[in-house]
């Protein structure tokens, strides 16, 4: 079982590296990592389980956050009360995005950033992501609002980018009135 302490902190240099494309078939090891990541994300959003294992809640995790420099991401999104949608995308790519930009009003969070941060990150309001499922079948996902932000945040991780990098420290709320808060 993956625990919060297993997730790398931003001070780890590997988080700044670009992850490598994955080749199919997926190894048993990678399948296991994906299961562990999904389980963590789901459990972390269920209060009783999160409390029992002291899991810091999160919606998304990329492989590099557990030290694996490979291009895959997992997202568990509570689309309605108690209902979780799971997304696993191997070699994900954003193939189109809206011109409209949005941001998380309270600021983004990240399981690898364990400090208070201020500022907002403009993100596309809608994205289409293409990639592959665990069996190597091509998949295409259209995401909007919060889910679209999570996809952009996780794909950033695969390119060594953390959300804090996208905030101008001199003017952390620069785009507050330009874009739409969610
Ligand atoms: Ni993150």
């Amino acid at each position: 079982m993956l625990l919060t302490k297993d997730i790398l902190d931003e001070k780890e240099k590997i988080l700044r590296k670009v992850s490598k494309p994955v080749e199919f078939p997926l190894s048993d090891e990678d399948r296991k990592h994906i299961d562990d990541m999904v389980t963590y994300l789901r459990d972390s959003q269920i209060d009783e389980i999160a409390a029992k294992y002291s899991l810091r809640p999160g919606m998304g995790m990329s492989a590099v956050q557990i030290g694996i420099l490979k291009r895959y991401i997992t997202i568990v999104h509570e689309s309605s009360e108690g209902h979780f949608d799971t997304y696993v995308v191997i070699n994900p790519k954003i193939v189109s995005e809206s011109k409209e930009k949005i941001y998380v009003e309270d600021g983004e969070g990240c399981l690898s950033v364990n400090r208070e941060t201020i500022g907002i990150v403009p993100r596309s309001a809608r994205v289409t992501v293409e990639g592959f499922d665990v069996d190597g079948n091509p998949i295409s996902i259209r995401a909007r609002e919060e889910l679209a932000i999570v996809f952009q945040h996780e794909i950033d991780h695969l390119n060594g980018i953390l959300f804090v990098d996208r905030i101008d420290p001199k003017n952390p709320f620069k785009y507050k009135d330009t874009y739409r808060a969610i």
Side-chain angles (χ1 to χ4, degrees):
M1 177 183 190
L2 209 54
L3 296 171
T4 300
K5 66 169 175 55
D6 301 317
I7 301 168
L8 301 182
D9 182 83
E10 61 179 321
K11 67 179 185 293
E12 303 287 343
K13 290 203 175 67
I14 191 173
L15 285 172
R16 300 311 191 157
K17 295 194 168 167
V18 176
S19 295
K20 295 185 176 62
V22 176
E23 286 176 20
F24 291 98
L26 223 55
S27 67
D28 290 344
E29 205 183 341
D30 283 323
R31 282 178 186 265
K32 166 89 166 63
H33 290 313
I34 287 168
D35 283 347
D36 287 348
M37 289 159 70
V38 167
T39 301
Y40 177 94
L41 295 171
R42 196 189 48 235
D43 287 351
S44 78
Q45 294 179 67
I46 299 170
D47 294 345
E48 311 83 76
I49 306 180
K52 184 173 174 192
Y53 297 103
S54 304
L55 305 179
R56 184 177 167 205
M59 270 190 290
M61 198 188 302
S62 58
V64 66
Q65 290 180 275
I66 53 167
I68 296 153
L69 215 51
K70 293 184 181 179
R71 301 188 79 83
Y72 55 82
I73 61 170
T74 55
I75 294 172
V76 176
H77 182 240
E78 191 172 17
S79 52
S80 59
E81 183 74 38
H83 180 87
F84 296 99
D85 293 330
T86 298
Y87 302 89
V88 174
V89 191
I90 321 290
N91 298 335
K93 224 183 249 177
I94 294 171
V95 295
S96 73
E97 54 195 321
S98 62
K99 281 211 183 72
E100 190 200 357
K101 296 213 188 289
I102 56 174
Y103 60 88
V104 180
E105 192 160 23
D106 298 333
E108 280 184 37
C110 177
L111 291 168
S112 295
V113 177
N114 298 295
R115 60 185 163 101
E116 286 297 318
T117 59
I118 58 158
I120 56 168
V121 183
R123 302 281 194 185
S124 299
R126 295 171 297 284
V127 292
T128 302
V129 176
E130 286 182 1
F132 299 87
D133 69 13
V134 291
D135 297 314
N137 303 305
I139 51 174
S140 176
I141 296 157
R142 297 183 70 175
R144 50 194 296 279
E145 303 292 307
E146 184 181 51
L147 183 60
I149 290 178
V150 184
F151 270 105
Q152 290 165 84
H153 176 119
E154 296 314 321
I155 292 171
D156 267 357
H157 274 301
L158 302 184
N159 295 319
I161 300 166
L162 298 177
F163 82 92
V164 286
D165 304 340
R166 295 194 178 279
I167 300 172
D168 178 354
K170 292 200 187 82
N171 195 355
F173 294 98
K174 194 165 159 183
Y175 297 104
K176 193 174 184 304
D177 300 321
T178 317
Y179 301 125
R180 177 165 59 86
I182 68 160

